[in-house]
């Protein structure tokens, strides 16, 4: 190309983000990203690394030494967890009740593992009895489950029952907490979870780029005593340990600005208090749910398994889900998302996460969604929805 491209200033639209992620970023986090860079081995950055690890332990509710932000999006933390714990010859038990159980399977296969499944319908959690049966049948080495399934809006209850079953069978447990960390009750140590990974762009309201991961001593022992090296050099935890462990030795250049952002996002969690933050998400999402149902719409997830941070709403008959999404973007600068996999076209996915979990966002969403549905002739009662929301608040 001989002529330089004529590209103007960066002016992205100012959206209200109420989809499955990213969520609205707190102004303090954006401000942290504008601060000057230091080197990734600078003594001042080493102090920041220590602070981030302490804040992550608080948010995960763990004392695990091996608690770090992985350089990359949530999928990088996911692949670091699975690709290090699963080695060739291992059997991994994964769920079939949502899109991200399938991603677990794909990553484990690439790591050389054999995949077996525990089945449940999309939109339902795993039944501990089914998990126990799967262990009796397959004797897996690793068990993965999704704590908050972003594709279905279902929260997995009875986590300690699942981990007890796995550990009684000498298996390690990997938990996907991408849509639960910082927004829904999650207790890594108390629930005896061996490995948990997450993404910063959901309930932490932080841009993607440095993603939470924690491993207990049992999981780390397996990582450090593997018979073969992890297939990814970049995500090899035995090498990352040199940088994030006591040595602080060079492995790769950390995403410094993203670590700044994560530190500030986690500082906001600590200031609010993790249990208070769980309560806020439950309260605000409860008002969103009341408003949706008051309007005449139906939630996809049963009340017993409803996931406050990610609300799945059934698309009414005769309504084009994509047209509603485009209307909200064009007319309201408001983002929600369509369904994934088996639920594509059947639901909308509406996030209520982190800085987006505020009354003004919920009120704006309900009014805009109601107007978009009326444009398509849907019989919705927006005033009744807003009244139900206000009463719940």
């Amino acid at each position: 190309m001989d002529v330089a491209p004529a590209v103007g200033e960066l002016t992205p639209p100012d959206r209200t983000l109420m989809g499955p992620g990213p969520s609205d970023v707190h102004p303090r986090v954006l401000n942290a990203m504008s601060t000057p860079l230091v080197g990734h081995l600078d003594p001042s950055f080493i102090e920041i690394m220590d602070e981030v690890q302490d804040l992550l332990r608080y948010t995960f509710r763990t004392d695990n030494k091996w608690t770090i932000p992985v350089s990359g999006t949530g999928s990088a933390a996911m692949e670091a967890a699975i690709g290090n714990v699963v080695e060739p010859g291992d059997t991994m038990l994964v769920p079939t009740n949502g899109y991200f159980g399938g991603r677990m399977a794909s990553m484990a296969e690439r790591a050389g593992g054999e995949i077996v499944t525990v089945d449940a319908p999309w939109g339902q959690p795993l039944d501990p009895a089914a998990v126990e049966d799967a262990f009796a049948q397959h004797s897996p080495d690793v068990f993965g489950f999704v704590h908050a399934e972003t594709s279905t809006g279902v929260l997995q209850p009875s986590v300690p029952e699942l981990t007890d079953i796995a550990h009684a069978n000498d298996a390690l447990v990997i938990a996907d907490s991408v849509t639960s960390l910082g927004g829904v009750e999650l207790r890594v140590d108390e629930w005896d979870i061996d490995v948990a990974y997450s993404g910063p762009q959901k309930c932490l309201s932080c841009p993607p780029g440095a993603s939470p991961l924690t491993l207990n001593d049992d999981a780390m022992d397996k990582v450090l005593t593997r018979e073969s090296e992890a297939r990814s050099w970049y995500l090899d935890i035995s090498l990352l340990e040199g940088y994030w462990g006591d040595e602080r030795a060079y492995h790769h250049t950390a995403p410094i600005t993203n670590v700044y952002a994560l530190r500030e996002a986690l500082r906001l969690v600590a200031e609010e208090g993790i249990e208070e933050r769980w309560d806020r998400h439950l309260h605000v999402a409860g008002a969103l749910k009341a408003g949706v149902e008051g309007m005449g719409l139906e939630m996809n997830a049963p009340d017993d398994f409803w996931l406050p941070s990610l609300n799945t709403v059934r698309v009414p008959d005769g309504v084009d889900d994509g047209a509603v999404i485009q209307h909200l973007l064009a007319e309201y600068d408001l983002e929600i998302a369509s369904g994934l996999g088996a639920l594509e076209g059947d639901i909308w996915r509406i996030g209520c996460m982190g800085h987006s979990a505020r009354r003004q966002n919920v009120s704006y969403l309900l009014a805009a969604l109601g107007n978009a549905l009326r444009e398509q002739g849907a019989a919705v009662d927006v005033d009744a929805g807003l009244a139900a929301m206000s009463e719940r608040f």
Side-chain angles (χ1 to χ4, degrees), residues 25 57 62 115 299:
V25 176
R57 292 185 187 103
T62 185
I115 303 305
M299 300 293 291

Side-chain angles (χ1 to χ4, degrees), residues 69-218:
V70 175
S71 299
T73 65
S75 293
M78 183 180 193
E79 190 143 33
I82 295 171
N84 282 270
V85 173
V86 177
E87 56 184 315
D90 281 350
T91 299
M92 183 172 181
L93 178 65
V94 299
T96 63
N97 62 335
Y99 183 88
F100 290 96
R103 185 171 292 184
M104 276 188 164
S106 179
M107 289 185 179
E109 285 178 336
R110 288 169 182 255
E114 178 185 345
I115 303 305
V116 294
T117 62
V118 53
D119 298 329
W122 277 54
Q124 293 290 322
L126 296 179
D127 182 348
V131 173
E132 198 155 25
D133 289 345
F135 266 96
Q137 182 178 354
H138 302 294
S139 300
D141 304 286
V142 181
F143 168 50
F145 75 95
V146 181
H147 182 224
E149 179 51 75
T150 316
S151 63
T152 63
V154 167
L155 181 66
Q156 177 65 48
S158 309
V159 171
E161 288 186 58
L162 303 185
T163 59
D164 284 349
I165 293 165
H167 293 142
N169 289 275
D170 298 321
L172 292 173
V173 178
I174 300 177
D176 180 317
S177 63
V178 169
T179 310
S180 57
L181 181 67
V184 176
E185 183 180 10
L186 172 69
R187 301 179 185 273
V188 165
D189 285 1
E190 186 177 325
W191 294 354
D192 213 9
I193 296 168
D194 298 297
V195 184
Y197 59 83
S198 190
Q201 76 279 10
K202 307 270 189 173
C203 297
L204 299 180
S205 281
C206 179
S211 298
L213 173 68
T214 187
L215 302 89
N216 65 15
D217 288 344
D218 289 340

Side-chain angles (χ1 to χ4, degrees), residues 15-334:
R15 307 284 200 205
T16 298
L17 299 177
M18 296 291 284
S23 60
D24 287 344
V25 176
H26 195 285
R28 277 174 46 182
V29 175
L30 292 174
N31 185 63
M33 297 183 73
S34 69
T35 54
L37 291 186
V38 295
H40 57 285
L41 295 173
D42 188 292
S44 66
F45 192 67
I46 301 296
E47 291 182 15
I48 291 169
M49 293 167 67
D50 290 336
E51 291 166 346
V52 168
Q53 289 182 281
D54 284 342
L55 289 164
L56 278 175
R57 292 185 187 103
Y58 171 76
T59 305
F60 270 122
R61 312 310 295 133
T62 185
D63 292 324
N64 288 343
K65 177 181 179 181
W66 315 107
T67 303
I68 67 171
V70 175
S71 299
T73 65
S75 293
M78 183 180 193
E79 190 143 33
I82 295 171
N84 282 270
V85 173
V86 177
E87 56 184 315
D90 281 350
T91 299
M92 183 172 181
L93 178 65
V94 299
T96 63
N97 62 335
Y99 183 88
F100 290 96
R103 185 171 292 184
M104 276 188 164
S106 179
M107 289 185 179
E109 285 178 336
R110 288 169 182 255
E114 178 185 345
I115 303 305
V116 294
T117 62
V118 53
D119 298 329
W122 277 54
Q124 293 290 322
L126 296 179
D127 182 348
V131 173
E132 198 155 25
D133 289 345
F135 266 96
Q137 182 178 354
H138 302 294
S139 300
D141 304 286
V142 181
F143 168 50
F145 75 95
V146 181
H147 182 224
E149 179 51 75
T150 316
S151 63
T152 63
V154 167
L155 181 66
Q156 177 65 48
S158 309
V159 171
E161 288 186 58
L162 303 185
T163 59
D164 284 349
I165 293 165
H167 293 142
N169 289 275
D170 298 321
L172 292 173
V173 178
I174 300 177
D176 180 317
S177 63
V178 169
T179 310
S180 57
L181 181 67
V184 176
E185 183 180 10
L186 172 69
R187 301 179 185 273
V188 165
D189 285 1
E190 186 177 325
W191 294 354
D192 213 9
I193 296 168
D194 298 297
V195 184
Y197 59 83
S198 190
Q201 76 279 10
K202 307 270 189 173
C203 297
L204 299 180
S205 281
C206 179
S211 298
L213 173 68
T214 187
L215 302 89
N216 65 15
D217 288 344
D218 289 340
M220 198 64 185
D221 284 346
K222 188 170 194 301
V223 170
L224 297 177
T225 58
R226 287 173 57 105
E227 294 184 4
S228 59
E229 294 180 330
R231 293 187 176 183
S232 171
W233 177 90
Y234 183 67
L235 298 175
D236 185 339
I237 295 174
S238 70
L239 301 179
L240 292 175
E241 183 274 332
Y243 181 56
W244 285 99
D246 296 332
E247 190 178 355
R248 299 302 195 201
Y250 170 71
H251 176 258
H252 67 269
T253 303
I256 296 157
T257 296
N258 290 98
V259 174
Y260 289 172
L262 183 60
R263 177 185 180 275
E264 191 63 21
L266 293 169
R267 230 167 53 96
L268 287 162
V269 172
E271 288 174 10
E272 184 174 4
I274 187 61
E275 295 193 359
E276 290 77 9
R277 193 176 181 92
W278 296 338
D279 288 343
R280 171 169 63 86
H281 280 77
L282 184 62
H283 178 63
V284 176
L288 168 61
K289 180 175 180 289
V292 164
E293 292 175 334
M295 192 186 300
L297 301 176
E298 180 185 350
M299 300 293 291
N300 183 63
D303 288 348
D304 289 346
F305 317 127
W306 164 64
L307 173 58
S309 52
L310 197 285
N311 297 266
T312 49
V313 178
R314 302 291 303 179
V315 177
D317 291 341
V319 170
D320 182 334
D321 67 310
V324 169
I325 291 169
Q326 290 304 314
H327 183 90
L328 294 177
L329 274 179
E331 300 298 326
Y332 297 97
D333 276 321
L334 173 64

